[in-house]
């Protein structure tokens, strides 16, 4: 069951890499470079505009697939009601990011639904797993809730 943590790390690293790589090659409709101050992150996956949209979208799909076992493993490791709620929210969030990649901005209506679902699901996931980590029974902490020195 320990392999789940590597799926989580790989999923997060993959998302970061595809965002950076796609952003470095981005040229918008007016040939402008990508800026997080002037563009939505979803524009990196806009087919017909972003030259590396294919990589961004495939990367989101693969990252979401890697995050699925991570969410399950983290919730099982925490083994509380909050951890189980975290699994559900985490699966919702991971499936939503898969859908963001499957429905890029060039397919705007399903894309917006998937993107909003991902951001809301991510917030709920962090909330439930955060409570699960903070509320671990004394002497049975699977994940430290405070930094150790």
């Amino acid at each position: 069951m320990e392999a789940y943590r590597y799926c989580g790390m790989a999923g997060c690293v993959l998302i970061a890499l595809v965002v950076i790589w796609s952003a470095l090659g981005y040229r918008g409709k007016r040939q402008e470079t990508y800026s997080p101050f002037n563009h939505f992150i979803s524009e990196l996956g806009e087919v017909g505009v972003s030259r590396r949209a294919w990589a961004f979208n495939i990367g989101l799909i693969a990252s979401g697939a890697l995050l699925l076992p991570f969410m399950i493993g983290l919730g099982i490791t925490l083994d509380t009601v909050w951890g189980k709620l975290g699994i559900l929210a985490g699966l919702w969030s991971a499936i939503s990011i898969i859908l963001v990649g499957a429905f890029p901005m060039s397919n705007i209506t399903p894309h917006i639904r998937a993107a909003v679902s991902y951001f809301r699901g991510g917030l709920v996931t962090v909330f439930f797993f955060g409570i699960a980590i903070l509320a671990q029974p004394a002497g049975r902490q699977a994940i430290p809730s405070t930094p150790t020195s």
Side-chain angles (χ1 to χ4, degrees):
M1 194 61 181
E2 294 295 318
Y4 78 89
R5 65 177 68 177
Y6 298 110
C7 289
M9 287 186 268
C12 291
V13 168
L14 182 57
I15 288 174
L17 290 176
V18 298
V19 166
I20 291 167
W21 193 69
S22 298
L24 290 174
Y26 181 83
R27 296 295 174 272
K29 293 176 182 173
R30 291 181 229 80
Q31 295 304 307
E32 73 279 11
T33 58
Y34 179 80
S35 168
F37 300 110
N38 300 322
H39 297 91
F40 294 111
I41 195 165
S42 291
E43 291 181 66
L44 296 173
E46 189 173 9
V47 177
V49 176
S50 177
R51 292 184 296 189
R52 297 178 180 167
W54 62 272
F56 181 80
N57 295 323
I58 291 170
L60 291 184
I61 292 167
S63 297
L66 286 166
L67 291 172
L68 290 168
F70 172 71
M71 298 300 176
I72 294 167
L74 180 57
I76 289 171
T77 298
L78 291 165
D79 195 28
T80 63
V81 171
W82 292 110
K84 288 174 181 46
L85 291 171
I87 291 173
L88 294 175
L91 293 176
W92 162 25
S93 184
I95 291 167
S96 295
I97 199 166
I98 290 169
L99 294 173
V100 169
F103 299 107
M105 253 184 89
S106 40
N107 196 353
I108 196 69
T109 300
H111 174 79
I112 289 173
R113 288 184 183 134
V116 169
S117 180
Y118 169 65
F119 288 115
R120 288 182 180 164
L123 178 63
V124 174
T125 300
V126 170
F127 177 77
F128 285 143
F129 279 140
I131 291 174
I133 290 167
L134 290 173
Q136 292 175 93
R140 236 187 80 219
Q141 287 193 332
I143 299 170
S145 59
T146 57
T148 57
S149 38

